[in-house]
Amino acid sequence: MLQLQDLKLFCQIVATGSISAAARQFDLTPAAASAALKRLELYLGTALIIRSTRSLKLSSAGEKFLQHCQNALTALEQGKQELTEQSGRIGGELRLTAPSDLGRNLLLPWLDELQDQHPELRIRLELSDKIAGLAAEQVDVALRYGSLPDSNLVSFHIADVPRVICAAPSYLNKHGKPLHPIDLQKHNCLLYLIDQRTFANWHFGYQDDPFSISVSGNRVSNDAEIVRRWAVSGKGIALKSALDMSEDLRAGRVVSLLPEFKPHFQQLNLLCASRAQVSPTVLLLRDELRVRVARQLARQ
């Protein structure tokens, strides 16, 4: 008998280009995923995917059916969402993506508490520092720093988050404190990259006069959590979100530098692809994040 999961699995196989990768996301064995695909093809009476030893690709029938399949799943999810909204119930699946550092160190325990309070809520959390569209990431909501050019997104402002120049006491004891941003050019600065772009120009404001400094260092990562760990372990100086570094600053694992030279703050926003996805669960998450982020920043 055809199952709803067979349709979801088919879409995931197409998205990942791999039966094994799709199977892992559904906690299935590759054999079980292959059987589900075969079951769907038998139901439709045609091959949807052309398999080879190296790759998978959609057949012409698969290309036609994929759009119908996606539309059907979207319609079912919207119907379910409307019923949830009418009841005001906090439940169902929330697919959320968030920055790696914020997600691991702060968001994870906050979501644990949220699920303890609402046992019917299921969360699928994806952590990534990449900037991609919500449709490409196959998520419902995204927690992201900075503003995005896509004006079609529904955006909820969570907070204006300061950024800090910081380093571990062990690094400063060995290399000294910078007294002016220009001194950073003599220090080992810890850099991160997003979408293959390295952020080596650090922007500051001083008495309403903006300026930037080009820095360099021997460590670069596309994972903001790695940059935080390098800073805490005394490998160099980092420019980081004050929210991401809040616990380290409070515990003295790192100290804030150049306080009179303010790096530009970052907006933290919760984003939805459309109004149809703004459910009671999303609104609850928005409200919880606003309270918890403000409380975390005030604790430094």
Side-chain angles (χ1 to χ4, degrees):
M1 180 181 295
L2 186 66
Q3 301 176 5
L4 180 60
Q5 181 168 286
D6 296 345
L7 300 178
K8 293 180 178 179
L9 185 61
F10 167 63
C11 291
Q12 195 61 30
I13 290 171
V14 174
T16 60
S18 166
I19 292 177
S20 296
R24 285 193 296 271
Q25 298 203 15
F26 284 84
D27 292 325
L28 298 172
T29 64
S34 294
L37 177 60
K38 186 65 176 178
R39 185 165 54 241
L40 179 58
E41 290 177 327
L42 287 173
Y43 174 80
L44 295 171
T46 186
L48 298 175
I49 290 179
I50 300 172
R51 305 160 179 81
S52 70
T53 55
R54 292 187 177 181
S55 64
L56 304 175
K57 72 174 186 176
L58 283 171
S59 66
S60 58
E63 290 178 356
K64 294 176 182 178
F65 181 71
L66 177 62
Q67 188 62 54
H68 291 293
C69 185
Q70 291 173 332
N71 290 341
L73 291 173
T74 298
L76 285 171
E77 187 59 35
Q78 287 177 345
K80 180 181 177 182
Q81 197 69 56
E82 288 178 9
L83 293 176
T84 299
E85 289 177 8
Q86 288 176 5
S87 66
R89 179 174 62 87
I90 304 300
E93 182 180 65
L94 180 67
R95 301 177 301 172
L96 169 67
T97 183
S100 61
D101 198 340
L102 176 60
R104 290 187 180 96
N105 297 311
L106 294 177
L107 185 61
L108 189 59
W110 294 348
L111 292 177
D112 286 342
E113 291 183 29
L114 196 63
Q115 285 188 286
D116 288 342
Q117 296 167 7
H118 303 281
E120 295 184 33
L121 177 61
R122 302 188 309 277
I123 290 176
R124 194 180 88 185
L125 177 62
E126 298 183 10
L127 300 181
S128 173
D129 293 316
K130 290 183 178 180
I131 300 174
L134 298 190
E137 294 184 273
Q138 295 186 320
V139 296
D140 302 313
V141 289
L143 185 63
R144 289 194 179 137
Y145 286 116
S147 56
L148 293 179
D150 190 345
S151 59
N152 294 322
L153 297 176
V154 179
S155 176
F156 297 108
H157 181 257
I158 302 301
D160 290 333
V161 180
R163 290 194 287 180
V164 294
I165 302 293
C166 60
S170 60
Y171 176 87
L172 298 175
N173 290 338
K174 187 175 181 179
H175 300 282
K177 284 187 177 183
L179 302 178
H180 187 279
I182 196 70
D183 296 336
L184 294 171
Q185 295 180 328
K186 304 173 185 177
H187 283 268
N188 191 50
C189 294
L190 307 170
L191 305 177
Y192 63 94
L193 56 91
I194 298 178
D195 295 336
Q196 303 305 312
R197 177 189 170 196
T198 301
F199 286 81
N201 288 318
W202 291 4
H203 301 276
F204 299 86
Y206 178 69
Q207 297 179 350
D208 297 326
D209 184 19
F211 64 96
S212 63
I213 297 294
S214 179
V215 299
S216 61
N218 64 4
R219 285 175 167 82
V220 182
S221 177
N222 65 346
D223 188 324
E225 165 68 0
I226 296 300
V227 176
R228 186 194 71 83
R229 293 187 185 188
W230 282 337
V232 170
S233 62
K235 305 305 182 189
I237 295 177
L239 170 61
K240 289 282 293 173
S241 157
L243 184 60
D244 293 347
M245 302 303 297
S246 57
E247 291 297 320
D248 298 312
L249 289 164
R250 199 164 66 89
R253 290 187 288 267
V254 297
V255 296
S256 178
L257 303 171
L258 304 171
E260 65 274 30
F261 298 93
K262 301 292 186 183
H264 294 173
F265 69 82
Q266 291 178 297
Q267 288 186 7
L268 182 63
N269 299 306
L270 188 67
L271 306 168
C272 292
S274 69
R275 282 285 171 191
Q277 291 174 302
V278 181
S279 65
T281 301
V282 170
L283 295 178
L284 174 65
L285 178 63
R286 176 202 63 186
D287 295 342
E288 287 284 328
L289 287 172
R290 285 173 175 172
V291 170
R292 290 176 181 269
V293 167
R295 185 185 302 157
Q296 191 71 24
L297 291 172
R299 293 177 64 198
Q300 294 179 32

